[in-house]
Amino acid sequence: MASDRPTGWITSSGNRIVLSGSLELKNLRRFLAAIYDLVSNQSLRELVLDFRECTAVFTGPMLMICAQILRHRRDDGVKFDLLLPSDATRAKLFKNANWASLIDPENHQPTQFGISAHIPTIQFTDPIEQNDAATKITDGILRLLHGFSRTDFSAMHWVINEIMDNVIRHSESPVGGLASLTSIGRQNRIEYAIADAGIGIPRSMRESRSEIRSDRNALQLAVREGETSDIRNGQGNGLHGSLEVSRVSSSYFHIHSGYARLDLWSDAEQPDAHEEAIPCNGTLVVGGIDLSVPDILKRALRFQDRPYEPVDAIELNYESGDAEEIELTVREEVLSFGSRQAAEPFRRKLENLLAMAPGLRIRLNFSDVDIVSSSFADEVFGKLFVRIGAVGFANAIAIEGANADIRGLVDRAVSKRAATG
């Protein structure tokens, strides 16, 4: 079928691997095979990855490639040189998503954690880094989307944290894992991708289930409720629950590991598993979640036919004990104070927190912030004043540590909005 054919071509010559067209799940394994051939079969120790002719690139495949590169650099001492896409927008994506830095750190600096349609790829190698990465990624959801419920937010946090936890507990990846999140267009949908360069799900499952005869069978088993490679390290509900969240929200879910892949498409009730001729050393999980219908995700998390209530992510990450207020250090929340573009995600985060926690008071600490633009002040405080009303604004927002100039700009933005509605 034509739809099964990748639209990108991968060729290698000497120590160079060239992608022409798009990089997607359909041709990911061919790219991985090209790297493996040059490193393991030809014993090359300096490779050039040429993306100049790429026309599109997707997050999941890039994370898997980056995970393999991290392992080859660590275990084999391989140096990778990156040629960025000729198209300026795609080249910027490579940098902003941290792919450029992961592939070629000598020539590309890591992206400072910021807010855009893509949450920069984060590497995690232990439980502390895992928790920090999960918090950053789910915090990005507060800034990117709107209109979802507190229970849906907790369900999304559970999904991302569970799959990342699988990397730490089961993958034996010497370079840990990589995680990223993307918002899809202007719709209330997200896509997450998590990859590692470990032993893979089939090998991990076989260590306790000798009856597994194929990698395809291992992936089918891995997404069943209560199945795990080691009951001492979990209840085996992470992949099952994650797949269910995607299924209930009419979205997609993909696993690539070993010589098999598992696919749940947005119009299907059950996933399909297939054997693959080229291995994927490690595991890649890509999942979509559609939040266009509030409170839909809580239907997905049912184990032993009972509803499961995940840890309240708002309480865990933002609220403290019985206190009905939180403090946000503005310098840590915003990278730039000069534009509406930089201010909009921060304002959306404030709106989401207030909507999900009625009665919450947010203290905004402006210490170490010298000045903000008038457009920034209006985008955050002027629009927030209009959205929640004068009484709501007075009860919910407190500004601390701001100098006279910043206070004046905030007061002016609020006054103008109050006068014009």
Side-chain angles (χ1 to χ4, degrees), residues 101-336:
S101 173
L102 290 166
I103 295 171
D104 187 358
E106 291 186 6
N107 295 304
H108 300 280
Q109 295 295 316
T111 300
Q112 187 176 3
F113 187 82
I115 300 302
S116 64
H118 294 265
I119 304 300
T121 302
I122 304 173
Q123 183 179 7
F124 57 98
T125 60
D126 57 39
I128 294 176
E129 291 181 353
Q130 171 206 336
N131 181 71
D132 183 58
T135 299
K136 285 182 177 179
I137 288 173
T138 49
D139 182 78
I141 296 171
L142 293 175
R143 301 166 183 266
L144 292 170
L145 306 179
H146 59 86
F148 50 86
S149 70
R150 186 164 178 158
T151 54
D152 282 351
F153 181 72
S154 295
M156 288 185 289
H157 181 271
W158 182 90
V159 165
I160 292 167
N161 201 57
E162 282 289 312
I163 298 178
M164 293 173 69
D165 188 58
N166 282 347
V167 173
I168 299 299
R169 290 177 181 266
H170 303 295
S171 76
E172 300 180 30
S173 173
V175 294
L178 298 174
S180 185
L181 179 134
T182 307
S183 66
I184 301 175
R186 295 185 177 276
Q187 305 174 53
N188 231 26
R189 294 191 297 149
I190 62 166
E191 177 185 284
Y192 62 87
I194 299 168
D196 67 70
I199 62 175
I201 291 174
R203 178 178 163 186
S204 178
M205 295 291 291
R206 284 192 182 95
E207 290 181 350
S208 62
R209 303 292 293 271
S210 59
E211 73 274 16
I212 295 175
R213 300 302 181 188
S214 70
D215 288 8
R216 172 177 174 269
N217 180 231
L219 295 192
Q220 291 173 319
L221 197 61
V223 297
R224 291 181 186 173
E225 181 183 348
E227 295 289 349
T228 178
S229 62
D230 186 352
I231 193 65
R232 297 168 299 178
N233 278 326
Q235 297 180 337
N237 289 326
L239 289 175
H240 168 74
S242 300
L243 183 147
E244 284 298 295
V245 166
S246 293
R247 185 187 66 81
V248 167
S249 67
S250 299
S251 199
Y252 53 85
F253 185 83
H254 306 288
I255 301 176
H256 282 249
S257 190
Y259 284 90
R261 77 176 197 269
L262 182 139
D263 301 302
L264 174 76
W265 302 102
S266 57
D267 57 352
E269 276 297 310
Q270 297 297 328
D272 293 322
H274 304 272
E275 295 286 344
E276 290 281 347
I278 300 173
C280 182
N281 296 320
T283 299
L284 169 66
V285 178
V286 178
I289 301 177
D290 189 338
L291 292 164
S292 58
V293 180
D295 290 325
I296 193 172
L297 298 188
K298 63 182 179 182
R299 293 190 353 225
L301 298 182
R302 296 183 64 89
F303 304 126
Q304 297 181 342
D305 202 32
R306 296 178 181 178
Y308 174 77
E309 293 291 338
V311 174
D312 188 325
I314 295 296
E315 181 179 355
L316 178 67
N317 294 322
Y318 298 99
E319 296 176 342
S320 177
D322 296 328
E324 295 183 349
E325 65 177 34
I326 61 173
E327 179 175 329
L328 299 179
T329 301
V330 180
R331 170 60 71 183
E332 297 175 358
E333 298 286 332
V334 184
L335 294 180
S336 170

